[in-house]
Amino acid sequence: MSLFRLVADGLDEGRGAIGREDTPASGARLDFSRSGVVESLNVSEPPVQLTESAVVAPLEEGGHPEVGERLRAIRLLRRLTLREVAEAAGVSESFVSQLERGRSSASVATLQRLAAAVGIEISDLFAPDPQSGPRVLRHGERQLLEWGHLGRKALLTPKPLHTLEVVAAAFDPGGSTGDEPYTHGDSEELLLVLAGRIHLQLGSELLELSTGDSVNYRSSTPHRVSNPGDEPAEVLFVISPPSY
């Protein structure tokens, strides 16, 4: 039994009536953007090769009910309600409920909006479950992404994301996560300095951290990392639950 099914079965939020995909929900959209530079910690993956007209078949038609289960498990891990996700994706709350239970179908365009609403890529809904047992990621096999100014990052935890995100980042002298502080969700976040020296702008505070120092905070607090030194700096971000 997959982790997604365990989470979905264990955190039932009640039943919803069968809803319509094309019924937009009113209200503000859920905002996963950050002030200033917006960066994603998700490693880029090849797009899912599906057409706009493709659908995810409902459970009774022998389709892919695990897609709904994955969506529900990730939504619960992100501590998002059905209403929040529905409003962000422009569909009805009852439609999201039925899709999560494999009782409704959705176009690829709708799945893209739902994936964005919970902060993932659509490919995460179709990705196979991570292999059981230890998973070794060699240093040379990390998929590095450019980040902010003179920065690089790599996601160390496997996808699809579960209860934890760990990100390794490096900043050259003068590098930073961007010009402005950013936020993402409301998770617990821990920053550990592996090498060098950094400045962490945390709300209205400015902290100076050196090798071996760590600090924890809520990811909803505007934060920005910069390297004021003459040597490269390496840091580790630990985020739970995942909120990128």
Side-chain angles (χ1 to χ4, degrees):
M1 182 176 294
S2 68
L3 173 61
F4 287 105
R5 182 179 293 277
L6 289 174
V7 174
D9 291 344
L11 296 173
D12 194 349
E13 291 189 358
R15 298 178 179 176
I18 295 179
R20 294 178 53 86
E21 172 187 341
D22 57 359
T23 305
S26 60
R29 288 177 174 271
L30 185 64
D31 185 12
F32 273 92
S33 63
R34 316 165 198 144
S35 57
V37 177
V38 178
E39 297 291 342
S40 171
L41 288 179
N42 288 337
V43 176
S44 298
E45 296 185 353
V48 176
Q49 299 298 313
L50 296 173
T51 63
E52 171 58 31
S53 59
V55 297
V56 175
L59 179 61
E60 59 270 21
E61 296 178 4
H64 302 280
E66 67 273 11
V67 171
E69 294 172 3
R70 287 174 184 269
L71 176 65
R72 185 166 185 267
I74 293 173
R75 175 179 64 79
L76 294 175
L77 289 171
R78 301 291 173 96
R79 302 175 184 174
L80 298 172
T81 65
L82 285 169
R83 181 182 297 276
E84 289 173 325
V85 172
E87 290 179 349
V91 296
S92 69
E93 184 177 342
S94 58
F95 168 75
V96 178
S97 176
Q98 293 302 307
L99 179 63
E100 290 182 346
R101 287 166 172 77
R103 300 173 184 171
S104 184
S105 60
S107 68
V108 172
T110 299
L111 287 177
Q112 287 175 328
R113 296 197 302 273
L114 288 168
V118 296
I120 61 173
E121 303 291 335
I122 186 174
S123 57
D124 294 335
L125 295 175
F126 295 90
D129 288 335
Q131 64 185 42
S132 59
R135 176 181 178 271
V136 177
L137 177 63
R138 304 295 181 186
H139 186 276
E141 297 174 351
R142 293 180 182 179
Q143 298 186 42
L144 295 175
L145 299 176
E146 297 297 321
W147 192 13
H149 177 62
L150 298 177
R152 298 165 301 283
K153 63 188 174 187
L155 181 67
L156 303 186
T157 43
K159 295 178 67 177
L161 307 179
H162 298 314
T163 58
L164 186 69
E165 263 178 335
V166 180
V167 177
F171 301 94
D172 293 334
S176 70
T177 53
D179 294 334
E180 300 291 335
Y182 66 96
T183 64
H184 51 95
D186 186 35
S187 303
E188 294 182 79
E189 184 165 336
L190 181 139
L191 183 154
L192 171 64
V193 182
L194 300 176
R197 182 169 61 94
I198 68 162
H199 282 169
L200 173 63
Q201 182 179 345
L202 195 59
S204 59
E205 296 184 78
L206 182 63
L207 306 177
E208 182 171 336
L209 304 174
S210 300
T211 302
D213 293 343
S214 64
V215 58
N216 65 285
Y217 49 90
R218 304 298 300 188
S219 63
S220 55
T221 304
H223 50 285
R224 174 180 181 268
V225 175
S226 61
N227 178 5
D230 298 325
E231 300 292 334
E234 297 181 12
V235 300
L236 197 68
F237 295 91
V238 181
I239 305 160
S240 179
S243 56
Y244 270 97

